[in-house]
Amino acid sequence: MQVGEVRVAEDADFERLRGLSVCHDDWKVDYKKGPITVWTKANDVSDFRMIKICSVFSDVTAATVFDVLNDPHYRKKWDFNMIEGYEICQISPNNDIGYYAMKVPKPLKNRDFVTQRSWLDLGKEYLIFNHSVNHASLPPKKNFVRGISYITGYHVIPTGESCTQPGCQVTYITQCDPRGRLPAWAVNKAAQILAPKVMSKLYKASKNYEAWKSKHDPHLKPWIYPEQITLPKLHTDEILSIAETTGAEVIDETDAVEEAAEEELDLKIQDGDD
């Protein structure tokens, strides 16, 4: 599925995500500690490397992780980078369009994304992915840089006999362009450092989900029960060309990154003097 394209995700789209998850050809291991492994991969789309993170949650069910990744109300409780996030409209029972705004370390500007999200429950595995689109209700906002997600997704499989038994393997894949004129080396390095924290946060959130959900509309799961969906339906005339996003003015943040790097170096030198 191409950036800007809005349609119901097909088997081939989910198969592409699965392929990225299970095939490690041309991927480079950048981090490995305990159950977490991080790979990166160069690509032809941009200078920003693809990132893949895999971990095993030995005491959490695959079904619980699927719920955590789909529950927009719970995300506010564990995703501390999120400034705002919500669904805009429904394309089909397992495809919607949503908005996500995230904090970025100062002195850079915060980023936001408008994406189509698609998910699939195959009984023996779960697949979730998104890609950027352009919706008329959400033009680029002041004080945010509109990022581009080429593909960002999760592949969750049980390590035991079923998705409802404890134990699962979770793979996260992302190919994003944060936009702005940022040095690729800085973004790639930051991503490698922050990537393991993604899994740690998701694991902790998954451990706490059942207790939280039991007190917050425990039977409300529209990602599983489509009859519970209350989102408005997609109006195709509200889908605009992605070129309006990719062609937006590019904000040069190179100096801010270099200043931040110098400050970090100064701090390390000072720590070394103590």
Side-chain angles (χ1 to χ4, degrees):
M1 195 176 290
Q2 300 297 314
V3 165
E5 185 178 12
V6 175
R7 61 171 171 79
V8 174
E10 301 173 351
D11 290 347
D13 300 309
F14 289 105
E15 189 57 42
R16 182 195 174 208
L17 176 64
R18 183 188 289 109
L20 289 171
S21 171
V22 302
C23 179
H24 303 314
D25 293 348
D26 300 322
W27 290 85
K28 174 178 174 280
V29 175
D30 280 338
Y31 176 94
K32 186 173 179 61
K33 184 175 181 180
I36 299 177
T37 303
V38 179
W39 295 263
T40 61
K41 182 180 181 180
N43 63 90
D44 297 329
V45 176
S46 75
D47 293 330
F48 303 106
R49 301 176 71 85
M50 295 185 72
I51 297 173
K52 175 163 60 175
I53 316 167
C54 184
S55 186
V56 173
F57 299 171
S58 60
D59 53 354
V60 175
T61 71
T64 295
V65 175
F66 182 65
D67 286 345
V68 169
L69 293 171
N70 278 289
D71 194 326
H73 302 293
Y74 186 58
R75 185 155 199 142
K76 301 171 185 176
K77 300 295 183 181
W78 66 273
D79 186 353
F80 301 114
N81 292 323
M82 184 175 75
I83 298 172
E84 186 179 17
Y86 54 86
E87 297 98 341
I88 302 167
C89 62
Q90 173 196 359
I91 303 170
S92 76
N94 67 322
N95 293 264
D96 63 25
I97 294 176
Y99 175 76
Y100 179 82
M102 63 181 291
K103 301 173 187 174
V104 173
K106 293 180 179 180
L108 303 180
K109 285 185 175 292
N110 291 329
R111 262 56 182 178
D112 66 357
F113 297 82
V114 177
T115 61
Q116 176 183 331
R117 195 174 63 95
S118 307
W119 61 96
L120 185 63
D121 174 0
L122 290 173
K124 59 182 180 180
E125 63 180 335
Y126 301 104
L127 297 151
I128 308 170
F129 73 92
N130 73 43
H131 69 285
S132 284
V133 298
N134 189 7
H135 194 276
S137 69
L138 280 165
K141 295 184 175 184
K142 185 179 180 181
N143 298 324
F144 283 89
V145 175
R146 180 65 47 88
I148 299 293
S149 170
Y150 294 99
I151 182 170
T152 297
Y154 290 86
H155 183 206
V156 186
I157 57 176
T159 54
E161 295 182 359
S162 77
C163 289
T164 57
Q165 292 182 344
C168 63
Q169 177 180 289
V170 183
T171 302
Y172 169 75
I173 296 162
T174 184
Q175 181 179 7
C176 282
D177 183 345
R179 303 291 291 163
R181 189 171 287 114
L182 291 167
W185 68 264
V187 176
N188 291 331
K189 187 65 177 178
Q192 292 171 27
I193 294 171
L194 296 174
K197 297 182 180 180
V198 172
M199 280 299 175
S200 298
K201 287 167 58 178
L202 178 58
Y203 172 68
K204 184 176 180 179
S206 299
K207 287 280 290 178
N208 296 330
Y209 181 70
E210 296 299 334
W212 178 89
K213 187 61 176 175
S214 67
K215 300 175 182 178
H216 299 82
D217 298 316
H219 302 296
L220 183 63
K221 295 184 178 183
W223 54 92
I224 297 176
Y225 309 113
E227 64 274 13
Q228 297 178 348
I229 295 174
T230 58
L231 286 175
K233 295 292 182 66
L234 167 71
H235 293 287
T236 55
D237 60 347
E238 294 180 326
I239 301 302
L240 307 178
S241 169
I242 196 68
E244 296 184 20
T245 297
T246 57
E249 179 184 359
V250 176
I251 299 174
D252 191 346
E253 298 173 285
T254 304
D255 291 343
V257 171
E258 291 177 350
E259 289 173 7
E262 289 176 2
E263 289 177 4
E264 181 180 358
L265 179 59
D266 288 343
L267 287 173
K268 287 182 178 178
I269 292 173
Q270 292 172 14
D271 289 343
D273 292 339
D274 291 341

PDB file of all heavy atoms in Angstrom, residues 114-145:
ATOM      1  N   VAL A 114      -0.931  11.797  10.067  1.00  0.00           N
ATOM      2  CA  VAL A 114      -2.277  11.358   9.708  1.00  0.00           C
ATOM      3  C   VAL A 114      -2.100  10.061   8.942  1.00  0.00           C
ATOM      4  O   VAL A 114      -1.415  10.020   7.915  1.00  0.00           O
ATOM      5  CB  VAL A 114      -3.001  12.402   8.842  1.00  0.00           C
ATOM      6  CG1 VAL A 114      -4.377  11.887   8.423  1.00  0.00           C
ATOM      7  CG2 VAL A 114      -3.146  13.722   9.593  1.00  0.00           C
ATOM      8  N   THR A 115      -2.683   8.985   9.453  1.00  0.00           N
ATOM      9  CA  THR A 115      -2.425   7.675   8.858  1.00  0.00           C
ATOM     10  C   THR A 115      -3.695   6.851   8.691  1.00  0.00           C
ATOM     11  O   THR A 115      -4.670   7.011   9.436  1.00  0.00           O
ATOM     12  CB  THR A 115      -1.454   6.842   9.723  1.00  0.00           C
ATOM     13  OG1 THR A 115      -2.026   6.624  11.023  1.00  0.00           O
ATOM     14  CG2 THR A 115      -0.109   7.538   9.868  1.00  0.00           C
ATOM     15  N   GLN A 116      -3.653   5.971   7.708  1.00  0.00           N
ATOM     16  CA  GLN A 116      -4.631   4.888   7.638  1.00  0.00           C
ATOM     17  C   GLN A 116      -4.063   3.719   8.416  1.00  0.00           C
ATOM     18  O   GLN A 116      -2.905   3.340   8.225  1.00  0.00           O
ATOM     19  CB  GLN A 116      -4.900   4.446   6.204  1.00  0.00           C
ATOM     20  CG  GLN A 116      -5.848   3.232   6.155  1.00  0.00           C
ATOM     21  CD  GLN A 116      -6.101   2.713   4.762  1.00  0.00           C
ATOM     22  OE1 GLN A 116      -6.052   3.451   3.785  1.00  0.00           O
ATOM     23  NE2 GLN A 116      -6.375   1.415   4.646  1.00  0.00           N
ATOM     24  N   ARG A 117      -4.853   3.159   9.298  1.00  0.00           N
ATOM     25  CA  ARG A 117      -4.438   2.012  10.115  1.00  0.00           C
ATOM     26  C   ARG A 117      -5.268   0.796   9.714  1.00  0.00           C
ATOM     27  O   ARG A 117      -6.489   0.886   9.530  1.00  0.00           O
ATOM     28  CB  ARG A 117      -4.640   2.334  11.594  1.00  0.00           C
ATOM     29  CG  ARG A 117      -3.929   1.413  12.570  1.00  0.00           C
ATOM     30  CD  ARG A 117      -4.095   1.952  13.980  1.00  0.00           C
ATOM     31  NE  ARG A 117      -5.503   1.948  14.355  1.00  0.00           N
ATOM     32  CZ  ARG A 117      -6.097   0.971  15.042  1.00  0.00           C
ATOM     33  NH1 ARG A 117      -5.404  -0.080  15.432  1.00  0.00           N
ATOM     34  NH2 ARG A 117      -7.372   1.049  15.350  1.00  0.00           N
ATOM     35  N   SER A 118      -4.593  -0.338   9.581  1.00  0.00           N
ATOM     36  CA  SER A 118      -5.258  -1.573   9.175  1.00  0.00           C
ATOM     37  C   SER A 118      -4.825  -2.679  10.122  1.00  0.00           C
ATOM     38  O   SER A 118      -3.670  -2.750  10.521  1.00  0.00           O
ATOM     39  CB  SER A 118      -4.873  -1.941   7.734  1.00  0.00           C
ATOM     40  OG  SER A 118      -5.091  -0.856   6.853  1.00  0.00           O
ATOM     41  N   TRP A 119      -5.750  -3.575  10.475  1.00  0.00           N
ATOM     42  CA  TRP A 119      -5.407  -4.656  11.387  1.00  0.00           C
ATOM     43  C   TRP A 119      -6.120  -5.936  10.990  1.00  0.00           C
ATOM     44  O   TRP A 119      -7.164  -5.920  10.340  1.00  0.00           O
ATOM     45  CB  TRP A 119      -5.735  -4.276  12.835  1.00  0.00           C
ATOM     46  CG  TRP A 119      -7.183  -3.985  13.121  1.00  0.00           C
ATOM     47  CD1 TRP A 119      -8.118  -4.840  13.617  1.00  0.00           C
ATOM     48  CD2 TRP A 119      -7.867  -2.732  12.919  1.00  0.00           C
ATOM     49  NE1 TRP A 119      -9.337  -4.209  13.750  1.00  0.00           N
ATOM     50  CE2 TRP A 119      -9.209  -2.914  13.326  1.00  0.00           C
ATOM     51  CE3 TRP A 119      -7.475  -1.473  12.431  1.00  0.00           C
ATOM     52  CZ2 TRP A 119     -10.153  -1.898  13.272  1.00  0.00           C
ATOM     53  CZ3 TRP A 119      -8.419  -0.471  12.372  1.00  0.00           C
ATOM     54  CH2 TRP A 119      -9.742  -0.685  12.788  1.00  0.00           C
ATOM     55  N   LEU A 120      -5.521  -7.061  11.384  1.00  0.00           N
ATOM     56  CA  LEU A 120      -6.052  -8.373  10.990  1.00  0.00           C
ATOM     57  C   LEU A 120      -5.801  -9.384  12.099  1.00  0.00           C
ATOM     58  O   LEU A 120      -4.673  -9.528  12.580  1.00  0.00           O
ATOM     59  CB  LEU A 120      -5.373  -8.835   9.699  1.00  0.00           C
ATOM     60  CG  LEU A 120      -5.882 -10.135   9.067  1.00  0.00           C
ATOM     61  CD1 LEU A 120      -7.345  -9.991   8.644  1.00  0.00           C
ATOM     62  CD2 LEU A 120      -5.018 -10.515   7.871  1.00  0.00           C
ATOM     63  N   ASP A 121      -6.860 -10.068  12.496  1.00  0.00           N
ATOM     64  CA  ASP A 121      -6.796 -11.145  13.485  1.00  0.00           C
ATOM     65  C   ASP A 121      -6.986 -12.462  12.736  1.00  0.00           C
ATOM     66  O   ASP A 121      -8.066 -12.753  12.230  1.00  0.00           O
ATOM     67  CB  ASP A 121      -7.904 -10.955  14.528  1.00  0.00           C
ATOM     68  CG  ASP A 121      -8.005 -12.112  15.518  1.00  0.00           C
ATOM     69  OD1 ASP A 121      -7.215 -13.066  15.410  1.00  0.00           O
ATOM     70  OD2 ASP A 121      -8.892 -12.057  16.390  1.00  0.00           O
ATOM     71  N   LEU A 122      -5.919 -13.240  12.654  1.00  0.00           N
ATOM     72  CA  LEU A 122      -5.975 -14.512  11.943  1.00  0.00           C
ATOM     73  C   LEU A 122      -6.147 -15.697  12.892  1.00  0.00           C
ATOM     74  O   LEU A 122      -6.036 -16.843  12.467  1.00  0.00           O
ATOM     75  CB  LEU A 122      -4.705 -14.701  11.101  1.00  0.00           C
ATOM     76  CG  LEU A 122      -4.582 -13.767   9.890  1.00  0.00           C
ATOM     77  CD1 LEU A 122      -3.217 -13.930   9.229  1.00  0.00           C
ATOM     78  CD2 LEU A 122      -5.692 -14.037   8.891  1.00  0.00           C
ATOM     79  N   GLY A 123      -6.412 -15.406  14.163  1.00  0.00           N
ATOM     80  CA  GLY A 123      -6.584 -16.493  15.126  1.00  0.00           C
ATOM     81  C   GLY A 123      -5.275 -17.010  15.672  1.00  0.00           C
ATOM     82  O   GLY A 123      -5.137 -17.239  16.876  1.00  0.00           O
ATOM     83  N   LYS A 124      -4.279 -17.171  14.812  1.00  0.00           N
ATOM     84  CA  LYS A 124      -2.968 -17.675  15.225  1.00  0.00           C
ATOM     85  C   LYS A 124      -1.896 -16.581  15.218  1.00  0.00           C
ATOM     86  O   LYS A 124      -0.747 -16.819  15.614  1.00  0.00           O
ATOM     87  CB  LYS A 124      -2.526 -18.814  14.303  1.00  0.00           C
ATOM     88  CG  LYS A 124      -2.424 -18.393  12.845  1.00  0.00           C
ATOM     89  CD  LYS A 124      -2.024 -19.564  11.962  1.00  0.00           C
ATOM     90  CE  LYS A 124      -1.929 -19.108  10.491  1.00  0.00           C
ATOM     91  NZ  LYS A 124      -1.532 -20.215   9.605  1.00  0.00           N
ATOM     92  N   GLU A 125      -2.255 -15.388  14.760  1.00  0.00           N
ATOM     93  CA  GLU A 125      -1.330 -14.255  14.739  1.00  0.00           C
ATOM     94  C   GLU A 125      -2.126 -12.974  14.508  1.00  0.00           C
ATOM     95  O   GLU A 125      -3.263 -12.999  14.024  1.00  0.00           O
ATOM     96  CB  GLU A 125      -0.277 -14.418  13.639  1.00  0.00           C
ATOM     97  CG  GLU A 125      -0.846 -14.454  12.240  1.00  0.00           C
ATOM     98  CD  GLU A 125       0.211 -14.618  11.162  1.00  0.00           C
ATOM     99  OE1 GLU A 125       1.382 -14.253  11.399  1.00  0.00           O
ATOM    100  OE2 GLU A 125      -0.132 -15.111  10.078  1.00  0.00           O
ATOM    101  N   TYR A 126      -1.490 -11.848  14.855  1.00  0.00           N
ATOM    102  CA  TYR A 126      -2.112 -10.536  14.667  1.00  0.00           C
ATOM    103  C   TYR A 126      -1.167  -9.652  13.857  1.00  0.00           C
ATOM    104  O   TYR A 126       0.051  -9.663  14.078  1.00  0.00           O
ATOM    105  CB  TYR A 126      -2.385  -9.858  16.008  1.00  0.00           C
ATOM    106  CG  TYR A 126      -3.287 -10.628  16.936  1.00  0.00           C
ATOM    107  CD1 TYR A 126      -2.763 -11.322  18.027  1.00  0.00           C
ATOM    108  CD2 TYR A 126      -4.663 -10.657  16.742  1.00  0.00           C
ATOM    109  CE1 TYR A 126      -3.593 -12.017  18.900  1.00  0.00           C
ATOM    110  CE2 TYR A 126      -5.506 -11.337  17.597  1.00  0.00           C
ATOM    111  CZ  TYR A 126      -4.962 -12.031  18.681  1.00  0.00           C
ATOM    112  OH  TYR A 126      -5.787 -12.713  19.543  1.00  0.00           O
ATOM    113  N   LEU A 127      -1.743  -8.874  12.944  1.00  0.00           N
ATOM    114  CA  LEU A 127      -0.974  -7.956  12.115  1.00  0.00           C
ATOM    115  C   LEU A 127      -1.641  -6.581  12.151  1.00  0.00           C
ATOM    116  O   LEU A 127      -2.859  -6.476  11.968  1.00  0.00           O
ATOM    117  CB  LEU A 127      -0.903  -8.455  10.672  1.00  0.00           C
ATOM    118  CG  LEU A 127      -0.173  -9.793  10.474  1.00  0.00           C
ATOM    119  CD1 LEU A 127      -0.720 -10.532   9.263  1.00  0.00           C
ATOM    120  CD2 LEU A 127       1.327  -9.562  10.317  1.00  0.00           C
ATOM    121  N   ILE A 128      -0.856  -5.549  12.410  1.00  0.00           N
ATOM    122  CA  ILE A 128      -1.354  -4.169  12.466  1.00  0.00           C
ATOM    123  C   ILE A 128      -0.325  -3.289  11.757  1.00  0.00           C
ATOM    124  O   ILE A 128       0.872  -3.400  12.028  1.00  0.00           O
ATOM    125  CB  ILE A 128      -1.503  -3.666  13.913  1.00  0.00           C
ATOM    126  CG1 ILE A 128      -2.327  -4.625  14.768  1.00  0.00           C
ATOM    127  CG2 ILE A 128      -2.110  -2.272  13.950  1.00  0.00           C
ATOM    128  CD1 ILE A 128      -2.292  -4.290  16.261  1.00  0.00           C
ATOM    129  N   PHE A 129      -0.794  -2.423  10.865  1.00  0.00           N
ATOM    130  CA  PHE A 129       0.151  -1.492  10.257  1.00  0.00           C
ATOM    131  C   PHE A 129      -0.551  -0.205   9.844  1.00  0.00           C
ATOM    132  O   PHE A 129      -1.778  -0.154   9.731  1.00  0.00           O
ATOM    133  CB  PHE A 129       0.863  -2.118   9.042  1.00  0.00           C
ATOM    134  CG  PHE A 129       0.008  -2.262   7.818  1.00  0.00           C
ATOM    135  CD1 PHE A 129      -0.029  -1.263   6.852  1.00  0.00           C
ATOM    136  CD2 PHE A 129      -0.757  -3.405   7.608  1.00  0.00           C
ATOM    137  CE1 PHE A 129      -0.804  -1.394   5.710  1.00  0.00           C
ATOM    138  CE2 PHE A 129      -1.535  -3.549   6.472  1.00  0.00           C
ATOM    139  CZ  PHE A 129      -1.564  -2.538   5.515  1.00  0.00           C
ATOM    140  N   ASN A 130       0.257   0.844   9.633  1.00  0.00           N
ATOM    141  CA  ASN A 130      -0.290   2.106   9.136  1.00  0.00           C
ATOM    142  C   ASN A 130       0.598   2.686   8.050  1.00  0.00           C
ATOM    143  O   ASN A 130       1.747   2.260   7.869  1.00  0.00           O
ATOM    144  CB  ASN A 130      -0.498   3.108  10.282  1.00  0.00           C
ATOM    145  CG  ASN A 130       0.796   3.688  10.831  1.00  0.00           C
ATOM    146  OD1 ASN A 130       1.714   4.044  10.087  1.00  0.00           O
ATOM    147  ND2 ASN A 130       0.895   3.805  12.158  1.00  0.00           N
ATOM    148  N   HIS A 131       0.058   3.656   7.331  1.00  0.00           N
ATOM    149  CA  HIS A 131       0.826   4.439   6.366  1.00  0.00           C
ATOM    150  C   HIS A 131       0.170   5.808   6.253  1.00  0.00           C
ATOM    151  O   HIS A 131      -1.024   5.964   6.515  1.00  0.00           O
ATOM    152  CB  HIS A 131       0.893   3.744   5.000  1.00  0.00           C
ATOM    153  CG  HIS A 131      -0.417   3.713   4.278  1.00  0.00           C
ATOM    154  ND1 HIS A 131      -1.436   2.861   4.648  1.00  0.00           N
ATOM    155  CD2 HIS A 131      -0.893   4.440   3.231  1.00  0.00           C
ATOM    156  CE1 HIS A 131      -2.481   3.058   3.845  1.00  0.00           C
ATOM    157  NE2 HIS A 131      -2.181   4.016   2.978  1.00  0.00           N
ATOM    158  N   SER A 132       0.939   6.803   5.891  1.00  0.00           N
ATOM    159  CA  SER A 132       0.439   8.175   5.871  1.00  0.00           C
ATOM    160  C   SER A 132      -0.545   8.430   4.732  1.00  0.00           C
ATOM    161  O   SER A 132      -0.366   7.938   3.605  1.00  0.00           O
ATOM    162  CB  SER A 132       1.600   9.166   5.760  1.00  0.00           C
ATOM    163  OG  SER A 132       2.259   9.301   6.997  1.00  0.00           O
ATOM    164  N   VAL A 133      -1.567   9.221   5.053  1.00  0.00           N
ATOM    165  CA  VAL A 133      -2.537   9.697   4.069  1.00  0.00           C
ATOM    166  C   VAL A 133      -2.797  11.171   4.372  1.00  0.00           C
ATOM    167  O   VAL A 133      -2.288  11.716   5.352  1.00  0.00           O
ATOM    168  CB  VAL A 133      -3.856   8.883   4.122  1.00  0.00           C
ATOM    169  CG1 VAL A 133      -3.590   7.421   3.786  1.00  0.00           C
ATOM    170  CG2 VAL A 133      -4.521   8.996   5.491  1.00  0.00           C
ATOM    171  N   ASN A 134      -3.612  11.802   3.534  1.00  0.00           N
ATOM    172  CA  ASN A 134      -3.910  13.225   3.719  1.00  0.00           C
ATOM    173  C   ASN A 134      -5.425  13.403   3.783  1.00  0.00           C
ATOM    174  O   ASN A 134      -6.125  13.159   2.800  1.00  0.00           O
ATOM    175  CB  ASN A 134      -3.320  14.045   2.571  1.00  0.00           C
ATOM    176  CG  ASN A 134      -3.405  15.546   2.826  1.00  0.00           C
ATOM    177  OD1 ASN A 134      -3.787  15.989   3.913  1.00  0.00           O
ATOM    178  ND2 ASN A 134      -3.055  16.336   1.820  1.00  0.00           N
ATOM    179  N   HIS A 135      -5.921  13.797   4.951  1.00  0.00           N
ATOM    180  CA  HIS A 135      -7.361  13.982   5.147  1.00  0.00           C
ATOM    181  C   HIS A 135      -7.665  15.469   5.277  1.00  0.00           C
ATOM    182  O   HIS A 135      -6.963  16.205   5.986  1.00  0.00           O
ATOM    183  CB  HIS A 135      -7.819  13.237   6.406  1.00  0.00           C
ATOM    184  CG  HIS A 135      -9.297  13.090   6.518  1.00  0.00           C
ATOM    185  ND1 HIS A 135     -10.113  14.074   7.035  1.00  0.00           N
ATOM    186  CD2 HIS A 135     -10.131  12.071   6.165  1.00  0.00           C
ATOM    187  CE1 HIS A 135     -11.367  13.664   7.012  1.00  0.00           C
ATOM    188  NE2 HIS A 135     -11.411  12.460   6.485  1.00  0.00           N
ATOM    189  N   ALA A 136      -8.730  15.897   4.606  1.00  0.00           N
ATOM    190  CA  ALA A 136      -9.054  17.330   4.537  1.00  0.00           C
ATOM    191  C   ALA A 136      -9.285  17.968   5.901  1.00  0.00           C
ATOM    192  O   ALA A 136      -9.046  19.173   6.076  1.00  0.00           O
ATOM    193  CB  ALA A 136     -10.293  17.527   3.662  1.00  0.00           C
ATOM    194  N   SER A 137      -9.730  17.188   6.866  1.00  0.00           N
ATOM    195  CA  SER A 137     -10.031  17.749   8.187  1.00  0.00           C
ATOM    196  C   SER A 137      -8.781  18.055   8.997  1.00  0.00           C
ATOM    197  O   SER A 137      -8.870  18.703  10.042  1.00  0.00           O
ATOM    198  CB  SER A 137     -10.923  16.788   8.976  1.00  0.00           C
ATOM    199  OG  SER A 137     -10.210  15.611   9.330  1.00  0.00           O
ATOM    200  N   LEU A 138      -7.598  17.597   8.520  1.00  0.00           N
ATOM    201  CA  LEU A 138      -6.378  17.778   9.304  1.00  0.00           C
ATOM    202  C   LEU A 138      -5.225  18.280   8.438  1.00  0.00           C
ATOM    203  O   LEU A 138      -4.272  17.540   8.159  1.00  0.00           O
ATOM    204  CB  LEU A 138      -5.993  16.469   9.995  1.00  0.00           C
ATOM    205  CG  LEU A 138      -6.789  16.173  11.262  1.00  0.00           C
ATOM    206  CD1 LEU A 138      -6.626  14.729  11.675  1.00  0.00           C
ATOM    207  CD2 LEU A 138      -6.345  17.098  12.394  1.00  0.00           C
ATOM    208  N   PRO A 139      -5.282  19.519   8.022  1.00  0.00           N
ATOM    209  CA  PRO A 139      -4.133  20.094   7.320  1.00  0.00           C
ATOM    210  C   PRO A 139      -2.972  20.250   8.299  1.00  0.00           C
ATOM    211  O   PRO A 139      -3.164  20.173   9.517  1.00  0.00           O
ATOM    212  CB  PRO A 139      -4.652  21.457   6.848  1.00  0.00           C
ATOM    213  CG  PRO A 139      -5.714  21.806   7.844  1.00  0.00           C
ATOM    214  CD  PRO A 139      -6.368  20.501   8.213  1.00  0.00           C
ATOM    215  N   PRO A 140      -1.751  20.443   7.806  1.00  0.00           N
ATOM    216  CA  PRO A 140      -0.601  20.646   8.700  1.00  0.00           C
ATOM    217  C   PRO A 140      -0.882  21.743   9.722  1.00  0.00           C
ATOM    218  O   PRO A 140      -1.479  22.772   9.413  1.00  0.00           O
ATOM    219  CB  PRO A 140       0.519  21.037   7.732  1.00  0.00           C
ATOM    220  CG  PRO A 140       0.153  20.347   6.458  1.00  0.00           C
ATOM    221  CD  PRO A 140      -1.345  20.410   6.387  1.00  0.00           C
ATOM    222  N   LYS A 141      -0.452  21.494  10.969  1.00  0.00           N
ATOM    223  CA  LYS A 141      -0.719  22.416  12.069  1.00  0.00           C
ATOM    224  C   LYS A 141       0.495  23.270  12.401  1.00  0.00           C
ATOM    225  O   LYS A 141       1.637  22.840  12.246  1.00  0.00           O
ATOM    226  CB  LYS A 141      -1.124  21.630  13.326  1.00  0.00           C
ATOM    227  CG  LYS A 141      -2.422  20.862  13.209  1.00  0.00           C
ATOM    228  CD  LYS A 141      -2.758  20.200  14.544  1.00  0.00           C
ATOM    229  CE  LYS A 141      -4.102  19.514  14.516  1.00  0.00           C
ATOM    230  NZ  LYS A 141      -4.463  18.947  15.848  1.00  0.00           N
ATOM    231  N   LYS A 142       0.214  24.467  12.908  1.00  0.00           N
ATOM    232  CA  LYS A 142       1.277  25.333  13.373  1.00  0.00           C
ATOM    233  C   LYS A 142       1.976  24.688  14.571  1.00  0.00           C
ATOM    234  O   LYS A 142       1.341  24.033  15.399  1.00  0.00           O
ATOM    235  CB  LYS A 142       0.688  26.692  13.777  1.00  0.00           C
ATOM    236  CG  LYS A 142       1.728  27.726  14.171  1.00  0.00           C
ATOM    237  CD  LYS A 142       1.068  29.048  14.537  1.00  0.00           C
ATOM    238  CE  LYS A 142       2.112  30.085  14.927  1.00  0.00           C
ATOM    239  NZ  LYS A 142       1.488  31.380  15.301  1.00  0.00           N
ATOM    240  N   ASN A 143       3.279  24.835  14.637  1.00  0.00           N
ATOM    241  CA  ASN A 143       4.122  24.309  15.721  1.00  0.00           C
ATOM    242  C   ASN A 143       4.317  22.797  15.647  1.00  0.00           C
ATOM    243  O   ASN A 143       4.860  22.200  16.579  1.00  0.00           O
ATOM    244  CB  ASN A 143       3.573  24.686  17.095  1.00  0.00           C
ATOM    245  CG  ASN A 143       3.543  26.189  17.313  1.00  0.00           C
ATOM    246  OD1 ASN A 143       4.436  26.903  16.847  1.00  0.00           O
ATOM    247  ND2 ASN A 143       2.510  26.683  17.986  1.00  0.00           N
ATOM    248  N   PHE A 144       3.849  22.167  14.562  1.00  0.00           N
ATOM    249  CA  PHE A 144       4.113  20.746  14.332  1.00  0.00           C
ATOM    250  C   PHE A 144       4.722  20.576  12.946  1.00  0.00           C
ATOM    251  O   PHE A 144       4.414  21.332  12.021  1.00  0.00           O
ATOM    252  CB  PHE A 144       2.824  19.918  14.400  1.00  0.00           C
ATOM    253  CG  PHE A 144       2.325  19.675  15.792  1.00  0.00           C
ATOM    254  CD1 PHE A 144       1.454  20.568  16.401  1.00  0.00           C
ATOM    255  CD2 PHE A 144       2.710  18.549  16.507  1.00  0.00           C
ATOM    256  CE1 PHE A 144       0.985  20.357  17.679  1.00  0.00           C
ATOM    257  CE2 PHE A 144       2.252  18.316  17.790  1.00  0.00           C
ATOM    258  CZ  PHE A 144       1.386  19.226  18.385  1.00  0.00           C
ATOM    259  N   VAL A 145       5.555  19.553  12.808  1.00  0.00           N
ATOM    260  CA  VAL A 145       6.047  19.148  11.501  1.00  0.00           C
ATOM    261  C   VAL A 145       5.329  17.859  11.145  1.00  0.00           C
ATOM    262  O   VAL A 145       5.335  16.898  11.934  1.00  0.00           O
ATOM    263  CB  VAL A 145       7.579  18.933  11.511  1.00  0.00           C
ATOM    264  CG1 VAL A 145       8.038  18.390  10.165  1.00  0.00           C
ATOM    265  CG2 VAL A 145       8.300  20.235  11.843  1.00  0.00           C
TER     266      VAL A 145
END
